[in-house]
Amino acid sequence: MFAEDPEGFRRETAAIIAAHGEEPVIASVNKTQWRLAMLRSGSGARERAAWISYEVDEGVHGHRDGMNIGLFANDLDLLPDLGYPPLQFGGWDTPQVRWYKLNSASHNTVVVDGKPHAVTAGVSTLWGVGRWVRVVRVSGPAITGGRQFERTLVMVDTPSDDFYLVDVFRVVGGSDHAKFLRSNHGVATASGLTLQPAEDYGHDTIMRNFRTDPTPRQGWSVDWELRDGQGVHFLYTDLTAGATASLAESWVTFGGYDSTEAGWIPTVMTRRRGAEPLVSTFVAILQVYRGSPVAAACQRVPLVSPDGTAYPDSNVAIEVGLCGGYRDLLVLADSENPLALAPRAGKLVQPDARVETDAEVAVVRHDPGGRAIAIAANRGKALTVGGRMIALGTTGGLFETDLA
């Protein structure tokens, strides 16, 4: 309308659309100066994106939300933040505003000793984007004042054109680590838990109705049937060792800035307590599905050194059973290891799958017959599977290859 040459503008626009299509191709991106990373895959109705923010901002609009994550899929915001502080309940100095803005427990992150995150920035320590695997790792110990505060997200596409997201959160320092997670409005159903009424988390949170299993079996889960999601489910599976599991409710407000309508949404808390410095590795699988979950079975499997010495819990191996009989093995090394726990990450061996690698993150896919058919690895020199050694060709960036 306001172009000096409308016809020329239309021709130029038509040429761009003819060359690149009607929809822009948006790739995964890591904005290191903004401390925001986003992993994307899929297309059309199957497009998905996971993001992580690794900076705690100061100022009126800053929240204490270090290492907060989000997830979009099936045209839904599956891990929404609570949003703009609810000033309509009495201004800036109210419990509701402090809950949204200053309390780190209102975000999808880990809280240490009940304290709000410090205003500071983390750094990206690993980044890789391939055809079927995408990974980001970020670190910011100053956020909690401890020795380690590091989160890794691995987005893995499946043969059925679905995906799952692996979330590994390593924390060292303090004596109380609580990880919180909330999805969108819906009904949340726990599996693998024996929940009993329990004390609230406290620490000036606005949460209620805590029910806790002090000794859950590994692989417990919470399944959200999302309201207005047309049959979409969000499934959270927890593989954390030595943690309690709680289901609670968090206070949220609905509507616009002038609405005082409020309610409560389901909240998951995975918590570990012990002597300082407490060492925790929170491990979870996140997936979105209609009908049946794509990752039908998930379990932790052991990692050992070449001489058979077991690695500490912070070095993670996960076996993910997929629909159709495919099976993935994921290996995530604790390269920071701030307490120098032995053995230190070098070559990691998963004996059952006959996999050995020095990569910091690796994924091996097996077909229904048990044959390794593809690998992806980041920052390593070699990966051996079933006696076959594959040179990764680089110590940085993501390496992928098919083995079939």
Side-chain angles (χ1 to χ4, degrees):
M1 180 184 295
F2 300 105
E4 292 183 3
D5 179 11
E7 286 301 324
F9 178 78
R10 278 193 286 268
R11 287 194 301 271
E12 183 179 355
T13 302
I16 292 172
I17 292 174
H20 301 284
E22 294 184 359
E23 294 188 10
V25 177
I26 305 175
S28 300
V29 64
N30 187 8
K31 298 288 189 180
T32 55
Q33 291 182 315
W34 296 349
R35 282 89 178 187
L36 176 68
M38 186 171 291
L39 306 176
R40 292 186 176 101
S41 72
S43 61
R46 291 184 178 271
E47 189 174 2
R48 49 261 184 174
W51 60 262
I52 183 167
S53 172
Y54 48 104
E55 180 175 30
V56 182
D57 292 324
E58 193 172 19
V60 173
H61 294 107
H63 289 210
R64 302 300 179 97
D65 59 350
M67 306 302 178
N68 191 25
I69 65 169
L71 178 64
F72 296 90
N74 291 77
D75 295 323
L76 294 172
D77 186 353
L78 296 155
L79 297 176
D81 204 51
L82 298 191
Y84 193 86
L87 303 179
Q88 62 268 34
F89 289 87
W92 286 101
D93 190 23
T94 62
Q96 292 91 341
V97 168
R98 290 193 293 271
W99 163 234
Y100 270 48
K101 178 177 168 58
L102 300 177
N103 201 311
S104 301
S106 68
H107 303 281
N108 296 318
T109 187
V110 169
V111 179
V112 176
D113 295 338
K115 299 176 182 179
H117 292 166
V119 176
T120 187
V123 296
S124 172
T125 60
L126 194 67
W127 173 255
V129 176
R131 292 179 293 106
W132 61 286
V133 174
R134 295 153 185 87
V135 57
V136 61
R137 187 181 65 207
V138 294
S139 178
I143 292 172
T144 57
R147 301 287 298 277
Q148 188 174 32
F149 199 66
E150 177 201 82
R151 195 166 199 172
T152 306
L153 298 179
V154 185
M155 178 179 280
V156 183
D157 293 344
T158 69
S160 59
D161 198 25
D162 292 299
F163 81 104
Y164 62 90
L165 187 71
V166 175
D167 177 18
V168 175
F169 205 145
R170 300 182 178 97
V171 184
V172 177
S175 59
D176 183 348
H177 300 165
K179 178 188 174 188
F180 295 91
L181 185 124
R182 301 168 182 84
S183 186
N184 217 316
H185 298 282
V187 177
T189 303
S191 297
L193 296 177
T194 303
L195 296 169
Q196 299 293 334
E199 64 178 355
D200 289 354
Y201 177 69
H203 299 293
D204 297 321
T205 57
I206 306 183
M207 302 175 68
R208 70 179 190 184
N209 292 344
F210 274 79
R211 294 174 294 141
T212 299
D213 186 337
T215 56
R217 64 171 179 82
Q218 199 170 105
W220 59 270
S221 63
V222 177
D223 189 317
W224 278 260
E225 184 176 2
L226 299 173
R227 191 179 74 189
D228 302 326
Q230 298 181 345
V232 175
H233 289 244
F234 170 73
L235 178 60
Y236 172 87
T237 303
D238 199 291
L239 302 173
T240 306
T244 64
S246 299
L247 198 59
E249 295 177 321
S250 296
W251 181 89
V252 296
T253 183
F254 311 134
Y257 299 131
D258 58 351
S259 171
T260 56
E261 183 184 3
W264 301 84
I265 60 172
T267 303
V268 173
M269 180 179 73
T270 308
R271 191 177 191 181
R272 300 187 74 255
R273 287 181 276 190
E276 190 173 349
L278 181 62
V279 179
S280 296
T281 302
F282 296 94
V283 181
I285 308 291
L286 287 63
Q287 53 183 312
V288 187
Y289 72 93
R290 282 189 176 97
S292 300
V294 60
C298 311
Q299 63 176 343
R300 295 277 297 271
V301 291
L303 279 175
V304 298
S305 66
D307 67 5
T309 304
Y311 273 102
D313 183 66
S314 57
N315 294 275
V316 176
I318 309 167
E319 185 181 78
V320 180
L322 303 173
C323 295
Y326 291 88
R327 178 171 52 87
D328 290 346
L329 173 72
L330 295 96
V331 176
L332 299 94
D334 181 11
S335 58
E336 283 191 0
N337 190 12
L339 300 184
L341 302 176
R344 305 199 69 167
K347 288 187 176 180
L348 299 100
V349 180
Q350 208 301 300
D352 300 320
R354 298 179 63 201
V355 169
E356 177 179 318
T357 187
D358 64 345
E360 295 185 14
V361 173
V363 186
V364 180
R365 174 157 293 165
H366 299 80
D367 67 13
R371 182 181 54 153
I373 57 172
I375 66 167
N378 204 319
R379 199 171 292 166
K381 296 180 180 178
L383 185 148
T384 301
V385 55
R388 177 181 175 183
M389 194 275 286
I390 300 99
L392 302 178
T394 179
T395 56
L398 187 72
F399 174 91
E400 285 184 336
T401 189
D402 295 331
L403 304 180

